């Protein structure tokens, strides 16, 4: 399986570089950005940068704690570390370019740069959809079949689900990036956004994009609703199992763990469904930009906060790490 995935990945990389060579022959796009050069917008810009930097630190800390603490070496926390990695990569894909454009005033982006942003954005967002579904299955097994957890949620299955999440996201990202930038674009090459996003870019095409938009809509529906349906089924079964528990402490622990995951799912899917599943007539560039800020910058910050505040294992690992550092500094 790994050899097959490696061959497919190598082919995908070669295809992507070939597409980039074609894109390099065309004119740059202009990203209109999110902020103007006013005092109010400067304050908002600094706030967004602060949130993005805090998000990177929070997710890096989560990965570090999971790697360092042996008690967190379980499939649940391995999946959580992958979520943190995806969030870090998402912020790094969007925010540096947005900040550089605002500070320098040079808002151009090459077709290859635009294609890479679309590819990484969809790879990470799509991968997160399937990763959240994998995490819900993990919670279902832990709550409903605790005695068979090691069998039903083995490390082998966990790694397969993780690789599958990354691969499905990357496949969708490669197809959408290649298809979006294969259209001829009009002389008006201004993108009313702060990063390259396929639905926004398609609006600039000087060709009939109806078929592509319909296919892209179907892909988005499948990428969102299939994992979301699995999550709803998992948590419906979990809810029934928790209500049947006789121990109050067990119910409390199950609700605490699952509510953290449900909070992340609600934030992620709520924003994604708003962006990608609305009818075209209801879409607005300004609304899209505001919601995009939420799920590309704010949500990656909220994920480590939610999991650290609602999870006693993570808080215990953090206290242990701080205690060890304090001991070393005194020595």
């Amino acid at each position: 399986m790994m050899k097959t995935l490696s061959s497919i990945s190598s082919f995908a990389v070669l295809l992507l570089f070939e597409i980039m060579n074609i894109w390099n022959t065309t004119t740059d796009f202009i990203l209109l950005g999110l902020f103007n050069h006013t005092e109010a917008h400067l304050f908002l810009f600094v706030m967004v940068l602060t949130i993005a930097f805090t998000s990177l630190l929070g997710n890096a800390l989560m990965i570090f704690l999971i790697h360092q603490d042996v008690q967190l070496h379980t499939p649940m926390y391995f999946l959580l570390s992958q979520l943190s990695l995806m969030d870090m990569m998402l912020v790094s894909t969007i925010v540096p370019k947005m900040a550089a454009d605002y500070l320098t005033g040079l808002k151009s982006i090459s077709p290859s740069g635009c294609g890479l942003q679309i590819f990484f954005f969809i790879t990470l967002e799509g991968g997160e959809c399937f990763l959240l579904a994998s995490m819900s299955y993990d919670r279902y097994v832990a709550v409903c079949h605790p005695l068979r957890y090691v069998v039903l949620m083995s490390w082998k299955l966990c790694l397969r689900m993780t690789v599958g999440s990354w691969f499905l996201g990357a496949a969708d990202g490669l197809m959408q990036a290649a298809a979006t930038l294969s259209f001829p674009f009009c002389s008006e090459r201004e993108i009313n956004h702060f990063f390259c996003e396929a639905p926004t870019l398609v609006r600039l095409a000087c060709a009939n994009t109806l078929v592509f938009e319909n296919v892209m809509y179907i892909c988005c529906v499948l990428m969102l609703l299939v994992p979301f349906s699995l999550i709803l089924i998992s948590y419906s079964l979990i809810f029934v199992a928790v209500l049947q528990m006789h121990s109050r402490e067990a119910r409390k622990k199950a609700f605490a763990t699952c509510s953290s995951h449900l909070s992340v799912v609600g934030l992620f899917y709520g924003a994604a469904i708003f962006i990608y599943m609305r009818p075209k007539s209801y879409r607005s560039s300004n609304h899209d930009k505001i919601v995009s800020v939420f799920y590309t910058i704010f949500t990656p910050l909220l994920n480590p906060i939610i999991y650290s505040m609602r999870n006693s294992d993570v808080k215990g690992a953090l206290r242990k790490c701080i205690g060890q550092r304090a001991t070393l500094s005194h020595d």
Side-chain angles (χ1 to χ4, degrees):
M1 178 183 174
M2 295 302 296
K3 289 182 178 179
T4 304
L5 288 175
S6 178
S7 300
I8 295 172
S9 300
S10 300
F11 173 75
V13 170
L14 291 173
L15 178 61
L16 185 61
F17 277 110
E18 185 65 30
I19 294 168
M20 287 171 60
N21 287 333
I22 299 171
W23 292 342
N24 282 330
T25 62
T26 58
T27 313
D28 289 354
F29 294 100
I30 303 296
L31 291 168
L32 296 183
L34 186 63
F35 303 113
N36 298 320
H37 290 277
T38 61
E39 288 187 5
H41 279 219
L42 178 60
F43 171 77
L44 292 174
F45 171 73
V46 172
M47 187 172 71
V48 165
L49 276 191
T50 303
I51 290 170
F53 183 70
T54 307
S55 170
L56 290 173
L57 286 180
N59 283 291
L61 178 61
M62 185 69 72
I63 294 172
F64 174 76
L65 290 175
I66 292 170
H67 179 266
Q68 289 293 110
D69 197 305
V70 178
Q71 291 185 345
L72 302 183
H73 291 180
T74 64
M76 171 187 169
Y77 290 106
F78 177 77
L79 293 173
L80 179 56
S81 71
Q82 294 298 300
L83 180 67
S84 292
L85 177 60
M86 287 181 177
D87 284 339
M88 287 182 68
M89 290 180 65
L90 181 62
V91 172
S92 301
T93 299
I94 304 299
V95 175
K97 174 60 179 171
M98 181 198 72
D101 288 352
Y102 182 80
L103 293 173
T104 64
L106 302 174
K107 299 184 176 183
S108 64
I109 182 169
S110 65
S112 59
C114 203
L116 284 173
Q117 270 200 337
I118 293 173
F119 169 71
F120 281 112
F121 174 74
I122 295 175
T123 295
L124 297 167
E125 289 290 302
E128 198 160 324
C129 286
F130 292 103
L131 190 66
L132 289 172
S134 301
M135 292 172 73
S136 71
Y137 171 76
D138 172 81
R139 289 301 82 208
Y140 160 73
V141 174
V143 174
C144 299
H145 303 282
L147 299 179
R148 301 177 61 199
Y149 181 82
V150 178
V151 176
L152 296 177
M153 191 60 194
S154 64
W155 274 108
K156 187 176 182 180
L157 177 60
C158 178
L159 292 173
R160 282 181 176 178
M161 290 194 297
T162 303
V163 172
S165 298
W166 281 99
F167 176 74
L168 290 171
D172 188 37
L174 183 62
M175 287 188 294
Q176 287 209 38
T180 300
L181 288 169
S182 66
F183 291 109
F185 292 94
C186 306
S187 56
E188 182 68 34
R189 303 178 74 85
E190 293 184 344
I191 303 172
N192 190 13
H193 215 308
F194 59 95
F195 69 97
C196 284
E197 194 175 28
T200 307
L201 197 61
V202 165
R203 297 172 193 166
L204 303 179
C206 288
N208 187 354
T209 61
L210 183 62
V211 173
F212 172 70
E213 289 185 64
N214 289 334
V215 171
M216 186 168 63
Y217 183 80
I218 293 170
C219 286
C220 290
V221 169
L222 292 174
M223 292 282 284
L224 288 171
L225 291 190
V226 171
F228 189 58
S229 299
L230 295 175
I231 291 170
L232 290 180
I233 292 170
S234 296
Y235 277 98
S236 298
L237 296 172
I238 289 171
F239 185 69
V240 172
V242 169
L243 291 179
Q244 294 174 350
M245 289 179 178
H246 299 292
S247 170
R248 183 179 178 183
E249 191 63 31
R251 284 200 303 267
K252 184 179 178 182
K253 185 176 181 180
F255 272 126
T257 305
C258 295
S259 62
S260 300
H261 185 224
L262 278 175
S263 300
V264 172
V265 168
L267 291 169
F268 177 82
Y269 278 96
I273 288 171
F274 180 84
I275 286 287
Y276 292 105
M277 292 183 61
R278 281 179 303 158
K280 192 175 180 179
S281 56
Y282 289 92
R283 290 179 184 172
S284 163
S285 296
N286 290 330
H287 289 164
D288 286 353
K289 283 197 285 187
I290 293 170
V291 178
S292 294
V293 169
F294 183 79
Y295 71 80
T296 57
I297 300 172
F298 285 91
T299 302
L301 170 67
L302 294 175
N303 287 351
I305 292 175
I306 290 171
Y307 278 108
S308 61
M309 290 179 64
R310 303 294 296 274
N311 192 301
S312 58
D313 293 336
V314 175
K315 287 190 287 188
L318 180 59
R319 283 194 294 266
K320 189 190 298 183
C321 183
I322 293 173
Q324 289 173 349
R325 295 295 180 272
T327 303
L328 289 173
S329 63
H330 288 307
D331 293 341

